[in-house]
Amino acid sequence: PLKLLGPSVSWRTQWMALTRCALVTVGGVTRCRCGAPEEAESLGYKYDSESPGFYEVAETTSHGDPGLVAFVEGVIEDVRAQGEDPQLVLNLLSSAESGLLAMKSKSFKYQMYYGQSVLADGSNLTFNDAIYNFGSGQWHEALRFADPIFGSTEAMVTRYLAQFGHVPSDDSAACIAAGVSLTYSLQKYGRSLVGLSPSERRVEIRRSLGQLNDETFFGRIRFDRNNQNVGRLPISWQ
């Protein structure tokens, strides 16, 4: 059976000075203001049981942020203090590396890990660290696709890493894929936009993108009648 855990009173006392959390007592029960079930429900989340609260943090975009690492370490310590060591971890932090660093430093004994498993410098986790890791999404830097602009997924990732110092995120890859789609569709199916009026350019771009059905570093890109990319399904990796 699943056991529902949330922030302990000692954890809230430790961290609330650094957040917008506050301890409140309702009906003789003390809990964290940010963890009230009705707040989660207002965001569209529904629970079948009374939630004791949830851990909340405002993220930064930096990789391996010491403050975020310490925060996740505190969550791990608080969960263990309640006698549990969860078997499944969903690491959905924007700076997923911070969560990985915290779990490695605390020797978190998860049995299944879901989320980013590549560090910001492009290196992978060791075999023992990664063996139970599982992730999925729209794109992964280890994909092996050909690309009409960069040559391949690997070539695009190599150039991105050289320029920015870290591998591209899903969002960054999607933005680059948009540029590849526009450029290549005009080259292969369209014509030069030079000399065309704004309205003529829109028609030409729409017509060219509508004919696109080609492999890119992002995978095959093809738009259906609803203008959605249906070139391939989401991917999973271990």
Side-chain angles (χ1 to χ4, degrees), residues 40-228:
E41 291 176 359
S42 69
L43 297 175
Y45 299 97
K46 301 296 181 182
Y47 294 94
D48 294 330
S49 59
E50 179 72 10
S51 171
F54 55 88
Y55 300 95
E56 181 181 50
V57 63
E59 296 185 62
T60 65
T61 56
S62 61
H63 296 277
D65 181 350
L68 187 54
V69 172
F71 180 88
V72 177
E73 289 176 341
V75 172
I76 294 172
E77 292 172 352
D78 190 55
V79 169
R80 284 177 168 166
Q82 299 178 61
E84 299 296 331
D85 216 341
Q87 295 183 343
L88 172 64
V89 174
L90 301 180
N91 184 9
L92 304 180
L93 294 168
S94 296
S95 176
E97 182 185 11
S98 299
L100 284 172
L101 292 173
M103 286 186 281
K104 291 187 68 174
S105 71
K106 292 297 180 180
S107 299
F108 206 31
K109 301 300 183 183
Y110 55 81
Q111 295 301 307
M112 181 65 75
Y113 169 90
Y114 180 94
Q116 178 180 324
S117 58
V118 178
L119 301 181
D121 62 1
S123 63
N124 288 281
L125 300 178
T126 65
F127 178 82
N128 289 332
D129 288 326
I131 189 169
Y132 295 114
N133 290 9
F134 178 81
S136 66
Q138 291 295 322
W139 184 81
H140 191 279
E141 62 275 358
L143 290 171
R144 298 179 180 179
F145 288 120
D147 185 85
I149 303 298
F150 294 97
S152 67
T153 303
E154 182 181 10
M156 187 282 288
V157 173
T158 298
R159 290 181 60 177
Y160 190 99
L161 181 60
Q163 182 169 349
F164 298 104
H166 59 86
V167 297
S169 65
D170 287 8
D171 292 337
S172 297
C175 290
I176 299 171
V180 169
S181 300
L182 176 60
T183 302
Y184 188 61
S185 65
L186 286 171
Q187 289 177 350
K188 184 175 181 179
Y189 303 105
R191 54 177 174 148
S192 173
L193 302 181
V194 176
L196 299 183
S197 67
S199 60
E200 291 172 329
R201 291 180 180 180
R202 285 193 291 270
V203 171
E204 188 61 31
I205 290 173
R206 188 182 302 112
R207 187 188 66 82
S208 299
L209 285 173
Q211 296 183 73
L212 190 65
N213 187 9
D214 296 87
E215 185 173 313
T216 72
F217 76 88
F218 202 79
R220 181 164 294 277
I221 295 180
R222 178 173 65 85
F223 297 100
D224 64 9
R225 64 182 60 189
N226 295 316
N227 299 317
Q228 294 179 322

Side-chain angles (χ1 to χ4, degrees), residues 11-22 56-58 67 70-71:
W11 185 90
R12 299 165 193 165
T13 302
Q14 175 186 357
W15 290 98
M16 69 177 182
L18 302 178
T19 69
R20 292 179 296 174
C21 292
E56 181 181 50
V57 63
F71 180 88

